[in-house]
Amino acid sequence: MTQLSDGPAPVYRDDVGEIGRKVDGLVAAADAAHGRLPQSVLAAADQLSGRAVERLRLSGEHTIVALAGATGSGKSSLFNALTDLDLAGVGLRRPTTSWALACAWGPDGAQGLLEWMGIPPRHQVSRMSMLDRSSEDTKLDGLVLLDLPDHDSTEVSHHVEMDRLVQYADLIVWVLDPQKYADAAIHDRYLRPMASYNDVSLVVLNQIDRIPYEQRGRAVEDVRRIVAAGGMTDVPVIGVSATRGDGVDDLRRELATRIRARASAKDRLGADIRAAAEQIAAVGGRSNVPGVTEADRDELDRALFDAVGGGQLASAVGASSRRRAVRLTGWPLTRWIGGLRKDPLSELGLEVDERELERSSLPDSIRPQRSAVETSVRVFVEKASVGLERPWRDAVRVASDAAAEGSQVADAVEGAVASTRIDLRGAAWLHLLNALQWLLLATTAGGLGLWLLGLLGMGIPDGPDVSGFGPADGHPLSLVLGVAALVASGVIALGTRLASRFVARSQAARVERELRTAIGQVSAELVVSPVEAELQAYERYRAGVVAALG
């Protein structure tokens, strides 16, 4: 996997603890997934991250407990029993709880938390510790108790208010009554969707005094069975009678235990974070993927090189260079024979001007096979997407589609080919040998000419004095020079014909190297980099999800 780029700054310092690191992970996952996963999937994480930060900033010493239940469940009576104050209207005076009521235990009253939750001041009260006559194991210092609107109210605003405040609670006490404890409304709407919140849930069977004493245990077990069937296993179920006080101390004791542990807030946040992370992971996945390997990059570059006929072009340049080397260094009188053969470059449709060899380049007429280019990019993307869920595969594909389907890659490869130098001038020594071949030709012609002139002079009275050059002399210098120059020219031609193979290989290798380099830059910029950027985003997302899930 490639080097990760920087993600969002951590929300918490390292010393805040595990819950802070989970929030950081959720924030990082949501940030990386924006634009790739549906916003509806990320909405819970976005809302939770801000709420979690604010919750721990305001207070980690209070426990928010919400009483939730249906109309007639005795929820408000239970609220009064726990507070020892007649705060919530009951019976005919208040058939439905239209607004949440809040009671805070402790000297500070948790004012900041209540304002943060949007509880109006007229619905707040502080329960001072000095007024608490409870035993030591049922004292509720640090508790913020909420009496929520009825979940089965016909008023839409009541549903909205309850759904809003349930999100803030560190511990939710679901208050059921003997007549409605199996009602599908509360189980389908709230209990089953919150099956993963076992650690921050509590079920109370209120009005237990209406059940014959010998049947109470069986009723509590029946509630426990129904709740467990909905996924909320190991959730405590307590039978109480708010009006008579039966089981109220047991409930107080359970709440006091949660408060003393100071863990409910973090447990609830942890459950929220886990639920949000699981929701994201269900869509985006969290598998570790291989990503883009060096072999994948090399294969893409090779495919693009083949799509433009890079190997054929390099071979043609090498063959053309060899042809030119032979023509430069061969015997001048027979070079025209080599010119009868067609230049390999011209067979590819490339016309190279012999007078402009020093600035020759592959012309614009060269066109890569665009279908082959698109296929190469598609194969690369498919390999890079192995192991990704559909949203991330789509993100990787979209990142490369603009370049592949928009012909940017093909156009850029074409430009890279067109900018590659041919440069058929050859090495300087070839030009020196060319000059030497003409000098040797002149020497051959001069030597043999003088020798022939000497032969002619011997048979002509009073002819020119050619002593030292004619055959009558023991050492016909002109003949020796002419023959030696001719032999030397042949040796040079033969030697350079062999050497031209190395020249051709060098030129072909240079062209291929420059083509591969240019094509590699195109693929890196237009294909590999966008794909790797998406894979880096996925890795930040995956690492965040793993951290959030703990």
Side-chain angles (χ1 to χ4, degrees):
M1 182 62 67
T2 53
Q3 181 68 30
L4 297 182
S5 60
D6 295 336
V11 174
Y12 292 100
R13 303 184 309 275
D14 290 340
D15 59 351
V16 171
E18 181 181 0
I19 191 67
R21 288 189 288 273
K22 288 184 177 181
V23 174
D24 285 342
L26 185 63
V27 170
D31 181 78
H34 276 295
R36 286 98 175 177
L37 269 61
Q39 185 56 40
S40 58
V41 175
L42 301 175
D46 291 338
Q47 294 173 4
L48 174 62
S49 59
R51 189 170 74 246
V53 172
E54 190 69 10
R55 172 67 178 91
L56 293 183
R57 184 187 69 80
L58 286 170
S59 175
E61 300 301 317
H62 289 84
T63 301
I64 303 173
V65 177
L67 301 179
T71 304
S73 63
K75 176 168 49 66
S76 296
S77 297
L78 183 59
F79 183 86
N80 289 341
L82 290 172
T83 60
D84 281 335
L85 299 170
D86 189 10
L87 297 175
V90 295
L92 295 177
R93 290 179 296 160
R94 192 168 175 232
T96 60
T97 305
S98 57
W99 295 96
L101 299 180
C103 181
W105 276 253
D108 62 358
Q111 188 69 27
L113 277 179
L114 295 174
E115 291 179 357
W116 172 62
M117 288 187 289
I119 305 296
R122 65 181 181 276
H123 294 152
Q124 304 175 14
V125 68
S126 177
R127 185 73 162 77
M128 303 298 289
S129 298
M130 64 184 67
L131 300 178
D132 194 348
R133 300 184 301 274
S134 303
S135 60
E136 193 62 34
D137 64 344
T138 59
K139 286 188 180 297
L140 302 178
D141 289 351
L143 171 65
V144 176
L145 185 64
L146 303 179
D147 182 14
L148 300 182
D150 301 327
H151 75 79
D152 60 346
S153 171
T154 57
E155 293 289 337
V156 175
S157 61
H158 297 176
H159 293 286
V160 173
E161 182 70 356
M162 179 182 172
D163 291 344
R164 184 182 72 84
L165 290 175
V166 161
Q167 301 178 57
Y168 292 96
D170 303 322
L171 176 65
I172 305 175
V173 179
W174 302 100
V175 182
L176 309 178
D177 65 89
Q179 286 75 35
K180 298 181 181 179
Y181 70 75
D183 189 357
I186 189 169
H187 290 279
D188 293 342
R189 182 176 176 85
Y190 294 105
L191 295 183
R192 285 191 180 90
M194 298 191 70
S196 61
Y197 289 74
N198 285 355
D199 296 338
V200 293
S201 297
L202 186 64
V203 175
V204 169
L205 178 59
N206 195 15
Q207 303 174 7
I208 199 171
D209 55 300
R210 296 185 179 182
I211 303 174
Y213 182 82
E214 65 276 6
Q215 298 179 14
R216 293 178 185 178
R218 188 168 58 188
V220 170
E221 285 301 319
D222 194 33
V223 171
R224 184 177 288 112
R225 177 186 59 79
I226 293 174
V227 170
M232 299 185 72
T233 57
D234 300 325
V235 173
V237 179
I238 301 174
V240 303
S241 172
T243 56
R244 287 179 39 173
D246 298 350
V248 172
D249 279 348
D250 293 336
L251 178 57
R252 284 175 176 271
R253 196 170 289 110
E254 179 68 22
L255 295 179
T257 300
R258 303 288 184 107
I259 293 169
R260 283 195 298 272
R262 303 295 184 194
S264 294
K266 292 182 179 179
D267 286 346
R268 173 59 196 271
L269 284 178
D272 284 341
I273 292 168
R274 185 169 58 253
E278 288 175 349
Q279 181 180 4
I280 293 175
V283 178
R286 54 171 171 150
S287 301
N288 194 7
V289 299
V292 176
T293 65
E294 193 65 34
D296 294 334
R297 298 189 191 93
D298 291 343
E299 185 174 347
L300 173 62
D301 290 347
R302 284 195 300 271
L304 294 178
F305 181 79
D306 293 340
V308 80
Q312 186 179 6
L313 287 172
S315 297
V317 169
S320 183
S321 298
R322 181 181 179 186
R323 175 176 177 272
R324 177 168 171 73
V326 171
R327 293 186 64 189
L328 278 173
T329 59
W331 195 45
L333 295 183
T334 58
R335 290 180 185 179
W336 63 273
I337 299 177
L340 296 177
R341 293 192 298 269
K342 194 173 183 179
D343 192 300
L345 287 177
S346 64
E347 293 180 356
L348 296 180
L350 304 177
E351 298 299 334
V352 181
D353 191 338
E354 292 285 342
R355 296 168 298 179
E356 298 181 348
L357 292 172
E358 69 279 359
R359 57 187 180 88
S360 294
S361 63
L362 297 179
D364 293 339
S365 59
I366 294 296
R367 294 289 186 272
Q369 299 177 20
R370 293 177 179 266
S371 61
V373 170
E374 293 179 5
T375 299
S376 303
V377 174
R378 185 165 56 253
V379 169
F380 174 81
V381 170
E382 289 175 355
K383 289 185 176 181
S385 303
V386 170
L388 295 176
E389 293 297 327
R390 179 63 179 271
W392 287 100
R393 292 202 309 270
D394 290 345
V396 171
R397 178 183 54 78
V398 169
S400 62
D401 273 357
E405 295 183 1
S407 300
Q408 292 184 39
V409 174
D411 291 342
V413 168
E414 180 181 326
V417 172
S419 65
T420 301
R421 295 179 304 110
I422 296 179
D423 193 5
L424 297 177
R425 290 174 298 173
W429 61 270
L430 292 176
H431 297 279
L432 292 176
L433 289 178
N434 181 41
L436 179 59
Q437 284 285 48
W438 284 105
L439 178 61
L440 290 175
L441 177 62
T443 302
T444 299
L448 294 179
L450 288 175
W451 180 69
L452 290 174
L453 185 61
L455 287 177
L456 294 174
M458 291 176 61
I460 301 175
D462 300 324
D465 184 8
V466 290
S467 59
F469 293 95
D473 301 288
H475 302 285
L477 180 59
S478 59
L479 178 61
V480 171
L481 288 175
V483 172
L486 182 61
V487 171
S489 179
V491 170
I492 291 175
L494 180 60
T496 53
R497 180 177 289 273
L498 297 176
S500 65
R501 296 180 180 179
F502 296 100
V503 174
R505 291 173 185 172
S506 176
Q507 286 284 60
R510 178 189 61 77
V511 170
E512 180 173 339
R513 185 170 57 252
E514 291 185 3
L515 274 174
R516 289 188 182 277
T517 299
I519 291 173
Q521 291 174 348
V522 169
S523 68
E525 178 181 352
L526 296 182
V527 181
V528 177
S529 292
V531 169
E532 285 189 329
E534 291 302 315
L535 293 177
Q536 288 173 355
Y538 173 77
E539 185 59 23
R540 290 197 304 273
Y541 153 86
R542 190 192 70 83
V545 168
V546 170
L549 292 174

